[in-house]
């Protein structure tokens, strides 16, 4: 079939907007060379500069991180370029819902369903960490359930090299590990903690530590004011509770390191 109508961005035809962030817009687009739909992430022309005064570098770095990965539960990148003064990367188009959308629309998941999600997500993160990367923003909004059931880890915009492991407050506050608030560097344990938070959220609709401000959140972590999963979901099997508590406990272990 011929290419659909729409404005061109390089080899891609931009069809419709499917997402919007503080620095990027996401579109469904048509690859005119390979004749397939893709997801196109375009950096805003007025996006805030990063610490090095560069806007282009951030998105290209995300593309390079994704290019190091090949796993069925990690979104696949196809390319990254600059056209018409805008930098973009395009990936496979994952059709489905985010886990956050699923919980918002249909309520909390059962323990078995959440555990199956967790298994796929942990397999994805094992591949991420084996490639020498950290994700740094594992959350229900960044995990998609594709039509058909495949779980896909998305959005590596805040990722970084495992060896670098910066100490900045990068990511989504309610998912951040306590050691990050204490000024320690991000690590594999930080990503694992975020998985624990996400599993907690999937079965309860809330978070282990709840706060309205960053200061309250930091104090909540410092004082270990964590809601017990068992109190919120007494029907959840002990094995599931143990997995979540172990994931959340990685943060405490990191805090206790000399």
């Amino acid at each position: 079939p011929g290419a659909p109508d729409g404005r061109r961005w390089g080899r891609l035809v931009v069809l419709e907007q499917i997402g919007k962030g503080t620095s990027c817009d996401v579109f469904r687009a048509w690859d005119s060379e390979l004749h397939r739909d893709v997801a196109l992430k375009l950096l805003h022309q007025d996006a805030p500069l990063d610490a090095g005064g560069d806007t282009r570098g951030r998105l290209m770095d995300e593309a390079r991180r994704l290019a190091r990965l090949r796993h069925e539960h990690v979104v696949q990148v196809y390319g990254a370029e600059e056209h018409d003064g805008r930098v973009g990367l395009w990936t496979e188009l994952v059709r489905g819902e985010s886990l956050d959308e699923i919980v918002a629309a249909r309520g909390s998941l059962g323990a078995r369903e959440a555990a199956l999600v967790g298994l796929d997500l942990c397999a994805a993160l094992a591949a991420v960490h084996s490639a020498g990367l950290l994700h740094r923003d594992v959350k229900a909004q960044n995990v998609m359930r594709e039509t058909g059931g495949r779980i896909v880890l998305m959005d590596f915009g805040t990722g970084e090299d495992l060896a670098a492991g910066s100490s900045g407050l990068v990511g989504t506050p309610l998912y951040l590990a306590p050691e990050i608030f204490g000024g320690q560097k991000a690590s594999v344990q930080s990503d694992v903690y975020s998985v624990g938070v996400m599993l907690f959220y999937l079965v309860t609709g809330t978070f282990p530590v709840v706060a309205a401000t960053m200061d309250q959140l930091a104090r909540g972590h410092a004082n270990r004011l964590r809601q017990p999963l068992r109190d919120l979901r007494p029907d959840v099997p002990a094995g599931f509770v143990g997995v979540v508590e172990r994931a959340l406990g990685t943060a405490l272990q990191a805090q206790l390191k000399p």
Side-chain angles (χ1 to χ4, degrees), residues 50-71:
D50 63 16
D54 184 17
T55 55
R56 182 181 187 276
R58 265 182 296 152
L59 207 59
M60 297 303 290
D61 284 346
E62 179 181 356
R64 293 185 185 106
R65 284 190 289 269
L66 279 168
R68 288 160 63 176
L69 295 164
R70 187 59 57 90
H71 192 275

Side-chain angles (χ1 to χ4, degrees), residues 58-250:
R58 265 182 296 152
L59 207 59
M60 297 303 290
D61 284 346
E62 179 181 356
R64 293 185 185 106
R65 284 190 289 269
L66 279 168
R68 288 160 63 176
L69 295 164
R70 187 59 57 90
H71 192 275
E72 66 170 319
H73 297 300
V74 177
V75 66
Q76 184 178 354
V77 68
Y78 293 147
E81 293 176 2
E82 181 174 0
H83 297 286
D84 305 323
R86 295 188 73 177
V87 179
L89 69 86
W90 64 100
T91 69
E92 64 172 309
L93 179 64
V94 180
R95 300 179 186 275
E97 300 173 283
S98 73
L99 297 182
D100 190 60
E101 290 171 332
I102 291 172
V103 171
R106 298 191 281 279
S108 302
L109 307 186
R112 183 178 185 279
E113 186 177 7
L116 292 173
V117 169
L119 286 171
D120 290 344
L121 179 58
C122 286
L125 275 177
V128 171
H129 297 153
S130 293
L133 298 169
L134 293 173
H135 188 280
R136 295 216 65 183
D137 200 17
V138 176
K139 59 181 179 181
Q141 295 94 322
N142 284 343
V143 181
M144 296 283 292
R145 174 179 280 162
E146 189 176 28
T147 303
R150 182 173 69 120
I151 297 299
V152 187
L153 179 61
M154 313 282 287
D155 199 342
F156 282 69
T158 57
E160 61 188 17
D161 285 346
L162 180 57
S166 68
S167 58
L169 290 173
V170 175
T172 302
L174 289 170
Y175 286 85
L176 289 179
E179 67 266 22
I180 303 301
F181 288 92
Q184 295 188 36
K185 289 186 176 182
S187 64
V188 168
Q189 287 77 18
S190 307
D191 277 350
V192 171
Y193 177 87
S194 297
V195 173
V197 173
M198 196 195 75
L199 291 173
F200 190 106
Y201 171 77
L202 291 180
V203 298
T204 66
T206 187
F207 298 92
V209 181
V210 179
T213 67
M214 293 290 283
D215 287 342
Q216 289 177 6
L217 191 56
R219 287 196 298 271
H221 282 303
N223 296 319
R224 300 179 189 173
L225 302 178
R226 198 169 79 204
Q227 300 188 87
L229 176 56
R230 177 65 72 195
D231 289 355
L232 297 171
R233 282 290 301 266
D235 61 311
V236 169
F240 184 90
V241 174
V243 168
V244 174
E245 291 297 322
R246 184 177 178 185
L248 298 177
T250 61

